[in-house]
Amino acid sequence: MMQIPLSVGSMLEHAEKFFPKKQVISQTHDKLHHLTYAEVGKRTRRLMSVLNELGAKKGDKIGTLAWNHHRHLEVYFAAPGIGAVLHTINIRLAPEHIIYIINHAEDKILFIDEDILPLIEKIKDQLKTVEAFVVMTDKNEKPDSALKPLYSYEELLHTGDPTYPFSTDIDENQPAGMCYTSATTGKPKGVIYSHRGIVLHSFALGLADSAAISESDVSMPVVPQFHVNAWGTPFACTWFGSTQVMPGPRFTPKLLAEFIDRFKVTITAGVPTIWLGLLRELEQGNYDTSSLRAVLCGGSAAPLGLIKAFEQKLKIPFYHAYGATETTPLVTVSRLKSYQLDLTEDEKLKERSRQGILVPGVEMKVIGNNGEVEWNDEEMGELLLRGNWIASEYYNDDRTDSAFADGWFHTGDVVTVDEEGTIKIVDRTKDLIKSGGEWISSVDLENALMAHEAVFEASVIAIPDAQWQERPVACVVLKEDYSESGMKEKLLEFLHPQFAKFWIPDDVLFFEEIPKTSVGKFLKRQLREDVKARYSVQE
Amino acid sequence: MMQIPLSVGSMLEHAEKFFPKKQVISQTHDKLHHLTYAEVGKRTRRLMSVLNELGAKKGDKIGTLAWNHHRHLEVYFAAPGIGAVLHTINIRLAPEHIIYIINHAEDKILFIDEDILPLIEKIKDQLKTVEAFVVMTDKNEKPDSALKPLYSYEELLHTGDPTYPFSTDIDENQPAGMCYTSATTGKPKGVIYSHRGIVLHSFALGLADSAAISESDVSMPVVPQFHVNAWGTPFACTWFGSTQVMPGPRFTPKLLAEFIDRFKVTITAGVPTIWLGLLRELEQGNYDTSSLRAVLCGGSAAPLGLIKAFEQKLKIPFYHAYGATETTPLVTVSRLKSYQLDLTEDEKLKERSRQGILVPGVEMKVIGNNGEVEWNDEEMGELLLRGNWIASEYYNDDRTDSAFADGWFHTGDVVTVDEEGTIKIVDRTKDLIKSGGEWISSVDLENALMAHEAVFEASVIAIPDAQWQERPVACVVLKEDYSESGMKEKLLEFLHPQFAKFWIPDDVLFFEEIPKTSVGKFLKRQLREDVKARYSVQE
């Protein structure tokens, strides 16, 4: 057999040749753009020649601080296309983390959205390796800025060569991309994506039983391009010739609903909080969502009520998926097996609310207190992963050893596995509540609470307990129409029949909002502080 | 990223874990077997330990002479599973070619179906490297045979270890399988399939826009497992957990129709002659074929009439595909792009009758008289291919140089490409008719003829011509109800409006049957001899 290096550039080349008329629809600050893959291809080639002119070399890190739009997509292919590394930076991180990330990765060039310029201007003096800034703007003239040297994306492209070739000097195991994941404590940790990993992951996204991404799809990734490559969808959708709809900066649930209706979006991907927002918008507004064949939900566990609302009320197929920054990220998708189609609606929903089974190409092990757990959906253990799109290390980071021991990535997620091999995330290892020697899943309690009609969001955390070591406390945001009065008792009563007695939280606290991470996950560390503060005020 | 070698064994391991209840339904000489993947997994592990006991080592060639059934499937995984090489041998080849193939590959062990034993007994003294024969029979006792040493498959398995591990000492580029392709002249040529090539090819078979093989599929490969690994479907279907239906030895169109009905087959794959036979059976019988979502047709060009009959008359989706022994084989699939769904039914059918566009992961070049051809569907050129499941050589064979020059596989197939990038096979380089300096496509003429209601099969060949160099002659098999009288004139009249005048064949000859290769393709070399003979009798 021939041995052709798997390469990111070859995916766009495939689209240029076979899907030149298909479109990328891109919302930027100023307007809505319609570009064909023929145009995206030429612009990416121009950008590669520009990167070359700016001195970018094989292995150099090219940083982006940008929303979901076509220019960001072009950098996705141009950076790895010249053998450099696409480094997407999470713009929602604290400035000190952004400084750390850019310096730690040693970014040489930064591509920045216009509205993010002020953020970078403030920290510019602390950036040690950046040699050029490029502002991604629709405007003809460059904005005034303290960043030097500052280039305008479109002006640069104007000077580029639309026939510039993708590098043929690619080793498939060389870095193509990188992304930092925020750690619970300490600095963010960098993950490197190889060409091989991205291409194999794209294959996995196209499989009939995973996301089944197809030429006939109109794909709108809501998950940001600055976070785990928007779950790899821009790569796969380009390769397979899907129409892509990129919702741009600071989108609202309303804009998402409008785009779904207007562009006949067939597949979209994002975290539960996005879908909670969209759900409210769809319930209030008058939108045609009949084109949607799949809403992919990952990042954190989707409450059953959310899945139910999409599937049964809105008639929109909703797929739970699981992954992490370290896993490119697709690891599992929750689909029923053919012989499960005879289950009752409730059984099916319960099954669909699990994180699902491994996509082909990844291996798992679940390690509990006594080695590998039984697949009985009761024994809990940490999920370990292995595969060609699973990271093997944190970039130049001491924390590699513990997370990647013995050739497996230790996810820190605690799961149970049922006899079908589908996993259910029951907690993070660090969030799991250890009460009287037994484990209590905060996630199970949260999902149960969020299935209550009055509850908008719920997060369950451990508080220290003299007798039991730890005890659960529920933190709840009520829906607008509900009052706190008597609600604590109602919620505890609601939980009682569903759980062993020792699982029932000791308290229910009400919040206006649950603190979240920059990518929409519950920030339990912060919440534990908040709860501690509240109790000490009471004392 | 981790670098985990892609391996054939890991695909069965995935099925053992995640699809243990799903079934392989297998017709052998004596009975119909139902096995689960859990059982197939254990039996394959037993077989690996047996192979080890028999002395098979990494790199050794394990030959099979067998039909489509579960034992053959087990060898598919067991041979590469221990690092050896699965060598499927085409049982329809002439004995001297089978001798050549077994000696040239240096097969160490042969797995043989009971009904093929006599063939091997006759040639046994000429086999230079075979150390053991294993008969794949349902019977308890071993048949009498001159082959020594002869083992019974089931007896051996009985002694095997059901927990024997798949080898972890696999380089993904090492050989996993091999298959010989018959050459127009000379000895068959060997093609080696690597672990990497087979796994990537399996990914391609699972893509939504190619074969979309899924857990929910019931797959019945009619294309033999002794030829290009039944187009790779046993590997992909196992990996993705599809139910597999294996029609066994010497199946008839009636058996295929019954199996489709009985087992609710969703996808099947084979060459046009198989589908011509099945079409007749389905038209005559009373079968429920509503479960079929895809009939994949490749190996040679399917006549438009065949596609039309399946799609419009039987309401069975029929997908034209293209590949070769050297290409594992999937290269193109003919599916409409989303924006082509507005075409008229006839336009769609015409588009669907093309071989389609490249599956992601393969690259092509089409080289005509003046370099790469325009994608205008007029300029003809030879199709060149490149990719991780395209062979890089013929095994220990001088003919490698011409077929694999410059890093591309020269297919010998002449195609046109339309502006959508879809290819249409117009001929074999050696079958193309060169008349007065212009090229005439024998395949186009054949397809046009086979669209005539009276024609069952048609093959067009070149005969030497003093003035024009070559001229086309049509060889036609009429359907049972039609007579030859006046038919030549009718057929030529039928062709006239469809082609330039110089394309119209000089003659139409009627045959009882068109000679075919062992895999169902027109044997034009033989036909040219037959036609020559017929003309010399006339003279």
PDB file of all heavy atoms in Angstrom, chain B residues 252-264 277-292 314 316:
ATOM      1  N   THR B 252     -27.590 -19.033  -5.505  1.00  0.00           N
ATOM      2  CA  THR B 252     -28.368 -18.727  -6.714  1.00  0.00           C
ATOM      3  C   THR B 252     -29.066 -17.385  -6.518  1.00  0.00           C
ATOM      4  O   THR B 252     -29.197 -16.911  -5.381  1.00  0.00           O
ATOM      5  CB  THR B 252     -29.463 -19.788  -6.923  1.00  0.00           C
ATOM      6  OG1 THR B 252     -30.296 -19.778  -5.730  1.00  0.00           O
ATOM      7  CG2 THR B 252     -28.866 -21.166  -7.114  1.00  0.00           C
ATOM      8  N   PRO B 253     -29.536 -16.758  -7.592  1.00  0.00           N
ATOM      9  CA  PRO B 253     -30.335 -15.536  -7.439  1.00  0.00           C
ATOM     10  C   PRO B 253     -31.531 -15.774  -6.513  1.00  0.00           C
ATOM     11  O   PRO B 253     -31.900 -14.893  -5.729  1.00  0.00           O
ATOM     12  CB  PRO B 253     -30.793 -15.239  -8.867  1.00  0.00           C
ATOM     13  CG  PRO B 253     -29.744 -15.831  -9.743  1.00  0.00           C
ATOM     14  CD  PRO B 253     -29.273 -17.072  -9.020  1.00  0.00           C
ATOM     15  N   LYS B 254     -32.093 -16.976  -6.581  1.00  0.00           N
ATOM     16  CA  LYS B 254     -33.243 -17.296  -5.739  1.00  0.00           C
ATOM     17  C   LYS B 254     -32.865 -17.244  -4.255  1.00  0.00           C
ATOM     18  O   LYS B 254     -33.589 -16.663  -3.439  1.00  0.00           O
ATOM     19  CB  LYS B 254     -33.738 -18.713  -6.098  1.00  0.00           C
ATOM     20  CG  LYS B 254     -35.034 -19.117  -5.454  1.00  0.00           C
ATOM     21  CD  LYS B 254     -35.558 -20.403  -6.118  1.00  0.00           C
ATOM     22  CE  LYS B 254     -36.542 -21.132  -5.216  1.00  0.00           C
ATOM     23  NZ  LYS B 254     -37.652 -20.253  -4.783  1.00  0.00           N
ATOM     24  N   LEU B 255     -31.699 -17.806  -3.917  1.00  0.00           N
ATOM     25  CA  LEU B 255     -31.259 -17.774  -2.524  1.00  0.00           C
ATOM     26  C   LEU B 255     -31.031 -16.328  -2.077  1.00  0.00           C
ATOM     27  O   LEU B 255     -31.428 -15.937  -0.970  1.00  0.00           O
ATOM     28  CB  LEU B 255     -29.969 -18.583  -2.328  1.00  0.00           C
ATOM     29  CG  LEU B 255     -29.505 -18.580  -0.872  1.00  0.00           C
ATOM     30  CD1 LEU B 255     -30.034 -19.791  -0.128  1.00  0.00           C
ATOM     31  CD2 LEU B 255     -27.979 -18.507  -0.756  1.00  0.00           C
ATOM     32  N   LEU B 256     -30.424 -15.532  -2.934  1.00  0.00           N
ATOM     33  CA  LEU B 256     -30.177 -14.126  -2.576  1.00  0.00           C
ATOM     34  C   LEU B 256     -31.501 -13.410  -2.299  1.00  0.00           C
ATOM     35  O   LEU B 256     -31.641 -12.684  -1.304  1.00  0.00           O
ATOM     36  CB  LEU B 256     -29.422 -13.406  -3.697  1.00  0.00           C
ATOM     37  CG  LEU B 256     -28.015 -13.935  -4.029  1.00  0.00           C
ATOM     38  CD1 LEU B 256     -27.398 -13.105  -5.152  1.00  0.00           C
ATOM     39  CD2 LEU B 256     -27.113 -13.933  -2.799  1.00  0.00           C
ATOM     40  N   ALA B 257     -32.462 -13.627  -3.182  1.00  0.00           N
ATOM     41  CA  ALA B 257     -33.765 -12.973  -3.020  1.00  0.00           C
ATOM     42  C   ALA B 257     -34.431 -13.432  -1.721  1.00  0.00           C
ATOM     43  O   ALA B 257     -34.994 -12.626  -0.977  1.00  0.00           O
ATOM     44  CB  ALA B 257     -34.658 -13.281  -4.223  1.00  0.00           C
ATOM     45  N   GLU B 258     -34.330 -14.731  -1.446  1.00  0.00           N
ATOM     46  CA  GLU B 258     -34.928 -15.254  -0.211  1.00  0.00           C
ATOM     47  C   GLU B 258     -34.262 -14.657   1.028  1.00  0.00           C
ATOM     48  O   GLU B 258     -34.923 -14.306   1.999  1.00  0.00           O
ATOM     49  CB  GLU B 258     -34.808 -16.776  -0.173  1.00  0.00           C
ATOM     50  CG  GLU B 258     -35.830 -17.471  -1.068  1.00  0.00           C
ATOM     51  CD  GLU B 258     -35.574 -18.976  -1.198  1.00  0.00           C
ATOM     52  OE1 GLU B 258     -34.602 -19.474  -0.574  1.00  0.00           O
ATOM     53  OE2 GLU B 258     -36.332 -19.629  -1.933  1.00  0.00           O
ATOM     54  N   PHE B 259     -32.923 -14.567   0.995  1.00  0.00           N
ATOM     55  CA  PHE B 259     -32.197 -14.016   2.140  1.00  0.00           C
ATOM     56  C   PHE B 259     -32.544 -12.543   2.359  1.00  0.00           C
ATOM     57  O   PHE B 259     -32.681 -12.085   3.495  1.00  0.00           O
ATOM     58  CB  PHE B 259     -30.684 -14.183   1.946  1.00  0.00           C
ATOM     59  CG  PHE B 259     -30.161 -15.514   2.418  1.00  0.00           C
ATOM     60  CD1 PHE B 259     -31.013 -16.590   2.668  1.00  0.00           C
ATOM     61  CD2 PHE B 259     -28.797 -15.710   2.618  1.00  0.00           C
ATOM     62  CE1 PHE B 259     -30.534 -17.816   3.107  1.00  0.00           C
ATOM     63  CE2 PHE B 259     -28.302 -16.937   3.062  1.00  0.00           C
ATOM     64  CZ  PHE B 259     -29.171 -17.987   3.302  1.00  0.00           C
ATOM     65  N   ILE B 260     -32.662 -11.790   1.272  1.00  0.00           N
ATOM     66  CA  ILE B 260     -33.024 -10.369   1.398  1.00  0.00           C
ATOM     67  C   ILE B 260     -34.362 -10.253   2.116  1.00  0.00           C
ATOM     68  O   ILE B 260     -34.532  -9.463   3.043  1.00  0.00           O
ATOM     69  CB  ILE B 260     -33.088  -9.702  -0.004  1.00  0.00           C
ATOM     70  CG1 ILE B 260     -31.681  -9.586  -0.599  1.00  0.00           C
ATOM     71  CG2 ILE B 260     -33.775  -8.331   0.076  1.00  0.00           C
ATOM     72  CD1 ILE B 260     -31.655  -9.215  -2.073  1.00  0.00           C
ATOM     73  N   ASP B 261     -35.288 -11.057   1.701  1.00  0.00           N
ATOM     74  CA  ASP B 261     -36.637 -11.049   2.265  1.00  0.00           C
ATOM     75  C   ASP B 261     -36.613 -11.522   3.723  1.00  0.00           C
ATOM     76  O   ASP B 261     -37.090 -10.838   4.637  1.00  0.00           O
ATOM     77  CB  ASP B 261     -37.521 -11.951   1.395  1.00  0.00           C
ATOM     78  CG  ASP B 261     -38.981 -11.949   1.828  1.00  0.00           C
ATOM     79  OD1 ASP B 261     -39.254 -11.787   3.031  1.00  0.00           O
ATOM     80  OD2 ASP B 261     -39.852 -12.148   0.962  1.00  0.00           O
ATOM     81  N   ARG B 262     -35.983 -12.665   3.945  1.00  0.00           N
ATOM     82  CA  ARG B 262     -36.029 -13.322   5.248  1.00  0.00           C
ATOM     83  C   ARG B 262     -35.249 -12.581   6.331  1.00  0.00           C
ATOM     84  O   ARG B 262     -35.698 -12.464   7.466  1.00  0.00           O
ATOM     85  CB  ARG B 262     -35.462 -14.737   5.080  1.00  0.00           C
ATOM     86  CG  ARG B 262     -35.413 -15.559   6.342  1.00  0.00           C
ATOM     87  CD  ARG B 262     -35.059 -16.999   5.987  1.00  0.00           C
ATOM     88  NE  ARG B 262     -34.700 -17.762   7.160  1.00  0.00           N
ATOM     89  CZ  ARG B 262     -34.029 -18.894   7.141  1.00  0.00           C
ATOM     90  NH1 ARG B 262     -33.658 -19.410   5.959  1.00  0.00           N
ATOM     91  NH2 ARG B 262     -33.737 -19.542   8.249  1.00  0.00           N
ATOM     92  N   PHE B 263     -34.059 -12.104   5.965  1.00  0.00           N
ATOM     93  CA  PHE B 263     -33.202 -11.480   6.984  1.00  0.00           C
ATOM     94  C   PHE B 263     -33.264  -9.952   6.947  1.00  0.00           C
ATOM     95  O   PHE B 263     -32.503  -9.284   7.631  1.00  0.00           O
ATOM     96  CB  PHE B 263     -31.757 -11.967   6.833  1.00  0.00           C
ATOM     97  CG  PHE B 263     -31.615 -13.448   7.014  1.00  0.00           C
ATOM     98  CD1 PHE B 263     -31.119 -14.241   5.997  1.00  0.00           C
ATOM     99  CD2 PHE B 263     -32.007 -14.055   8.204  1.00  0.00           C
ATOM    100  CE1 PHE B 263     -31.008 -15.611   6.155  1.00  0.00           C
ATOM    101  CE2 PHE B 263     -31.903 -15.430   8.375  1.00  0.00           C
ATOM    102  CZ  PHE B 263     -31.405 -16.215   7.353  1.00  0.00           C
ATOM    103  N   LYS B 264     -34.158  -9.405   6.116  1.00  0.00           N
ATOM    104  CA  LYS B 264     -34.329  -7.953   6.029  1.00  0.00           C
ATOM    105  C   LYS B 264     -33.002  -7.260   5.720  1.00  0.00           C
ATOM    106  O   LYS B 264     -32.572  -6.326   6.431  1.00  0.00           O
ATOM    107  CB  LYS B 264     -34.931  -7.385   7.328  1.00  0.00           C
ATOM    108  CG  LYS B 264     -36.232  -8.055   7.764  1.00  0.00           C
ATOM    109  CD  LYS B 264     -37.347  -7.764   6.787  1.00  0.00           C
ATOM    110  CE  LYS B 264     -38.541  -8.680   6.959  1.00  0.00           C
ATOM    111  NZ  LYS B 264     -39.080  -9.154   5.656  1.00  0.00           N
ATOM    112  N   GLY B 277     -29.029 -11.059 -12.740  1.00  0.00           N
ATOM    113  CA  GLY B 277     -29.664 -12.312 -12.320  1.00  0.00           C
ATOM    114  C   GLY B 277     -30.711 -12.083 -11.243  1.00  0.00           C
ATOM    115  O   GLY B 277     -31.826 -12.612 -11.307  1.00  0.00           O
ATOM    116  N   LEU B 278     -30.363 -11.257 -10.262  1.00  0.00           N
ATOM    117  CA  LEU B 278     -31.307 -10.998  -9.164  1.00  0.00           C
ATOM    118  C   LEU B 278     -32.548 -10.268  -9.681  1.00  0.00           C
ATOM    119  O   LEU B 278     -33.672 -10.550  -9.251  1.00  0.00           O
ATOM    120  CB  LEU B 278     -30.627 -10.165  -8.062  1.00  0.00           C
ATOM    121  CG  LEU B 278     -31.520  -9.856  -6.856  1.00  0.00           C
ATOM    122  CD1 LEU B 278     -31.881 -11.127  -6.088  1.00  0.00           C
ATOM    123  CD2 LEU B 278     -30.856  -8.851  -5.913  1.00  0.00           C
ATOM    124  N   LEU B 279     -32.306  -9.342 -10.607  1.00  0.00           N
ATOM    125  CA  LEU B 279     -33.422  -8.585 -11.188  1.00  0.00           C
ATOM    126  C   LEU B 279     -34.459  -9.536 -11.783  1.00  0.00           C
ATOM    127  O   LEU B 279     -35.661  -9.426 -11.511  1.00  0.00           O
ATOM    128  CB  LEU B 279     -32.870  -7.638 -12.264  1.00  0.00           C
ATOM    129  CG  LEU B 279     -33.879  -6.825 -13.065  1.00  0.00           C
ATOM    130  CD1 LEU B 279     -34.660  -5.889 -12.155  1.00  0.00           C
ATOM    131  CD2 LEU B 279     -33.167  -6.016 -14.162  1.00  0.00           C
ATOM    132  N   ARG B 280     -33.971 -10.508 -12.577  1.00  0.00           N
ATOM    133  CA  ARG B 280     -34.890 -11.484 -13.177  1.00  0.00           C
ATOM    134  C   ARG B 280     -35.661 -12.252 -12.104  1.00  0.00           C
ATOM    135  O   ARG B 280     -36.858 -12.467 -12.213  1.00  0.00           O
ATOM    136  CB  ARG B 280     -34.108 -12.459 -14.067  1.00  0.00           C
ATOM    137  CG  ARG B 280     -33.918 -11.901 -15.468  1.00  0.00           C
ATOM    138  CD  ARG B 280     -33.586 -12.989 -16.449  1.00  0.00           C
ATOM    139  NE  ARG B 280     -32.151 -13.308 -16.378  1.00  0.00           N
ATOM    140  CZ  ARG B 280     -31.503 -13.977 -17.318  1.00  0.00           C
ATOM    141  NH1 ARG B 280     -32.126 -14.415 -18.385  1.00  0.00           N
ATOM    142  NH2 ARG B 280     -30.212 -14.232 -17.199  1.00  0.00           N
ATOM    143  N   GLU B 281     -34.941 -12.646 -11.043  1.00  0.00           N
ATOM    144  CA  GLU B 281     -35.580 -13.405  -9.964  1.00  0.00           C
ATOM    145  C   GLU B 281     -36.640 -12.555  -9.257  1.00  0.00           C
ATOM    146  O   GLU B 281     -37.742 -13.019  -8.971  1.00  0.00           O
ATOM    147  CB  GLU B 281     -34.506 -13.863  -8.967  1.00  0.00           C
ATOM    148  CG  GLU B 281     -35.034 -14.671  -7.795  1.00  0.00           C
ATOM    149  CD  GLU B 281     -35.653 -15.997  -8.213  1.00  0.00           C
ATOM    150  OE1 GLU B 281     -35.213 -16.566  -9.232  1.00  0.00           O
ATOM    151  OE2 GLU B 281     -36.593 -16.463  -7.525  1.00  0.00           O
ATOM    152  N   LEU B 282     -36.297 -11.301  -8.984  1.00  0.00           N
ATOM    153  CA  LEU B 282     -37.239 -10.433  -8.261  1.00  0.00           C
ATOM    154  C   LEU B 282     -38.464 -10.125  -9.101  1.00  0.00           C
ATOM    155  O   LEU B 282     -39.575  -9.988  -8.584  1.00  0.00           O
ATOM    156  CB  LEU B 282     -36.545  -9.134  -7.834  1.00  0.00           C
ATOM    157  CG  LEU B 282     -35.447  -9.266  -6.767  1.00  0.00           C
ATOM    158  CD1 LEU B 282     -34.831  -7.895  -6.465  1.00  0.00           C
ATOM    159  CD2 LEU B 282     -35.968  -9.907  -5.484  1.00  0.00           C
ATOM    160  N   GLU B 283     -38.250 -10.031 -10.415  1.00  0.00           N
ATOM    161  CA  GLU B 283     -39.383  -9.745 -11.300  1.00  0.00           C
ATOM    162  C   GLU B 283     -40.331 -10.940 -11.391  1.00  0.00           C
ATOM    163  O   GLU B 283     -41.536 -10.784 -11.530  1.00  0.00           O
ATOM    164  CB  GLU B 283     -38.876  -9.360 -12.698  1.00  0.00           C
ATOM    165  CG  GLU B 283     -38.384  -7.909 -12.736  1.00  0.00           C
ATOM    166  CD  GLU B 283     -37.738  -7.535 -14.067  1.00  0.00           C
ATOM    167  OE1 GLU B 283     -37.365  -8.459 -14.829  1.00  0.00           O
ATOM    168  OE2 GLU B 283     -37.613  -6.333 -14.337  1.00  0.00           O
ATOM    169  N   GLN B 284     -39.743 -12.139 -11.294  1.00  0.00           N
ATOM    170  CA  GLN B 284     -40.575 -13.346 -11.431  1.00  0.00           C
ATOM    171  C   GLN B 284     -41.204 -13.745 -10.101  1.00  0.00           C
ATOM    172  O   GLN B 284     -42.302 -14.270 -10.066  1.00  0.00           O
ATOM    173  CB  GLN B 284     -39.713 -14.513 -11.948  1.00  0.00           C
ATOM    174  CG  GLN B 284     -39.380 -14.391 -13.419  1.00  0.00           C
ATOM    175  CD  GLN B 284     -38.179 -15.256 -13.794  1.00  0.00           C
ATOM    176  OE1 GLN B 284     -37.776 -16.150 -13.044  1.00  0.00           O
ATOM    177  NE2 GLN B 284     -37.626 -15.004 -14.965  1.00  0.00           N
ATOM    178  N   GLY B 285     -40.480 -13.555  -9.015  1.00  0.00           N
ATOM    179  CA  GLY B 285     -40.943 -14.074  -7.729  1.00  0.00           C
ATOM    180  C   GLY B 285     -41.737 -13.059  -6.941  1.00  0.00           C
ATOM    181  O   GLY B 285     -42.035 -11.966  -7.430  1.00  0.00           O
ATOM    182  N   ASN B 286     -42.010 -13.418  -5.702  1.00  0.00           N
ATOM    183  CA  ASN B 286     -42.807 -12.554  -4.847  1.00  0.00           C
ATOM    184  C   ASN B 286     -42.017 -12.339  -3.547  1.00  0.00           C
ATOM    185  O   ASN B 286     -42.155 -13.090  -2.596  1.00  0.00           O
ATOM    186  CB  ASN B 286     -44.155 -13.234  -4.576  1.00  0.00           C
ATOM    187  CG  ASN B 286     -45.026 -12.383  -3.679  1.00  0.00           C
ATOM    188  OD1 ASN B 286     -44.851 -11.159  -3.613  1.00  0.00           O
ATOM    189  ND2 ASN B 286     -45.941 -13.018  -2.965  1.00  0.00           N
ATOM    190  N   TYR B 287     -41.149 -11.348  -3.584  1.00  0.00           N
ATOM    191  CA  TYR B 287     -40.247 -11.109  -2.454  1.00  0.00           C
ATOM    192  C   TYR B 287     -40.470  -9.717  -1.878  1.00  0.00           C
ATOM    193  O   TYR B 287     -40.734  -8.770  -2.621  1.00  0.00           O
ATOM    194  CB  TYR B 287     -38.786 -11.216  -2.910  1.00  0.00           C
ATOM    195  CG  TYR B 287     -38.421 -12.541  -3.514  1.00  0.00           C
ATOM    196  CD1 TYR B 287     -38.387 -12.712  -4.897  1.00  0.00           C
ATOM    197  CD2 TYR B 287     -38.109 -13.629  -2.705  1.00  0.00           C
ATOM    198  CE1 TYR B 287     -38.049 -13.926  -5.458  1.00  0.00           C
ATOM    199  CE2 TYR B 287     -37.772 -14.855  -3.265  1.00  0.00           C
ATOM    200  CZ  TYR B 287     -37.741 -14.999  -4.646  1.00  0.00           C
ATOM    201  OH  TYR B 287     -37.413 -16.201  -5.203  1.00  0.00           O
ATOM    202  N   ASP B 288     -40.318  -9.623  -0.568  1.00  0.00           N
ATOM    203  CA  ASP B 288     -40.351  -8.307   0.074  1.00  0.00           C
ATOM    204  C   ASP B 288     -38.918  -7.781   0.149  1.00  0.00           C
ATOM    205  O   ASP B 288     -38.088  -8.316   0.886  1.00  0.00           O
ATOM    206  CB  ASP B 288     -40.941  -8.429   1.484  1.00  0.00           C
ATOM    207  CG  ASP B 288     -40.937  -7.078   2.208  1.00  0.00           C
ATOM    208  OD1 ASP B 288     -40.503  -6.068   1.610  1.00  0.00           O
ATOM    209  OD2 ASP B 288     -41.369  -7.047   3.377  1.00  0.00           O
ATOM    210  N   THR B 289     -38.618  -6.765  -0.622  1.00  0.00           N
ATOM    211  CA  THR B 289     -37.261  -6.207  -0.645  1.00  0.00           C
ATOM    212  C   THR B 289     -37.239  -4.802  -0.045  1.00  0.00           C
ATOM    213  O   THR B 289     -36.308  -4.041  -0.252  1.00  0.00           O
ATOM    214  CB  THR B 289     -36.712  -6.134  -2.088  1.00  0.00           C
ATOM    215  OG1 THR B 289     -37.607  -5.310  -2.855  1.00  0.00           O
ATOM    216  CG2 THR B 289     -36.620  -7.505  -2.715  1.00  0.00           C
ATOM    217  N   SER B 290     -38.278  -4.481   0.711  1.00  0.00           N
ATOM    218  CA  SER B 290     -38.410  -3.095   1.197  1.00  0.00           C
ATOM    219  C   SER B 290     -37.335  -2.720   2.222  1.00  0.00           C
ATOM    220  O   SER B 290     -37.121  -1.541   2.491  1.00  0.00           O
ATOM    221  CB  SER B 290     -39.798  -2.896   1.811  1.00  0.00           C
ATOM    222  OG  SER B 290     -39.972  -3.791   2.885  1.00  0.00           O
ATOM    223  N   SER B 291     -36.654  -3.726   2.787  1.00  0.00           N
ATOM    224  CA  SER B 291     -35.601  -3.407   3.757  1.00  0.00           C
ATOM    225  C   SER B 291     -34.344  -2.858   3.095  1.00  0.00           C
ATOM    226  O   SER B 291     -33.542  -2.195   3.743  1.00  0.00           O
ATOM    227  CB  SER B 291     -35.227  -4.679   4.538  1.00  0.00           C
ATOM    228  OG  SER B 291     -34.834  -5.705   3.647  1.00  0.00           O
ATOM    229  N   LEU B 292     -34.172  -3.126   1.801  1.00  0.00           N
ATOM    230  CA  LEU B 292     -32.933  -2.745   1.107  1.00  0.00           C
ATOM    231  C   LEU B 292     -32.814  -1.230   0.978  1.00  0.00           C
ATOM    232  O   LEU B 292     -33.631  -0.595   0.335  1.00  0.00           O
ATOM    233  CB  LEU B 292     -32.900  -3.363  -0.289  1.00  0.00           C
ATOM    234  CG  LEU B 292     -32.243  -4.729  -0.445  1.00  0.00           C
ATOM    235  CD1 LEU B 292     -32.414  -5.226  -1.878  1.00  0.00           C
ATOM    236  CD2 LEU B 292     -30.761  -4.673  -0.094  1.00  0.00           C
ATOM    237  N   LEU B 314     -38.262  -1.542  -9.126  1.00  0.00           N
ATOM    238  CA  LEU B 314     -38.242  -2.261  -7.848  1.00  0.00           C
ATOM    239  C   LEU B 314     -38.159  -1.323  -6.646  1.00  0.00           C
ATOM    240  O   LEU B 314     -38.274  -1.780  -5.508  1.00  0.00           O
ATOM    241  CB  LEU B 314     -37.057  -3.236  -7.810  1.00  0.00           C
ATOM    242  CG  LEU B 314     -37.021  -4.318  -8.896  1.00  0.00           C
ATOM    243  CD1 LEU B 314     -35.728  -5.114  -8.807  1.00  0.00           C
ATOM    244  CD2 LEU B 314     -38.218  -5.249  -8.763  1.00  0.00           C
ATOM    245  N   ILE B 316     -35.613   0.051  -5.398  1.00  0.00           N
ATOM    246  CA  ILE B 316     -34.441  -0.289  -4.585  1.00  0.00           C
ATOM    247  C   ILE B 316     -33.305   0.677  -4.938  1.00  0.00           C
ATOM    248  O   ILE B 316     -32.887   0.716  -6.091  1.00  0.00           O
ATOM    249  CB  ILE B 316     -33.995  -1.750  -4.845  1.00  0.00           C
ATOM    250  CG1 ILE B 316     -35.090  -2.730  -4.424  1.00  0.00           C
ATOM    251  CG2 ILE B 316     -32.682  -2.049  -4.109  1.00  0.00           C
ATOM    252  CD1 ILE B 316     -34.813  -4.175  -4.792  1.00  0.00           C
TER     253      ILE B 316
END
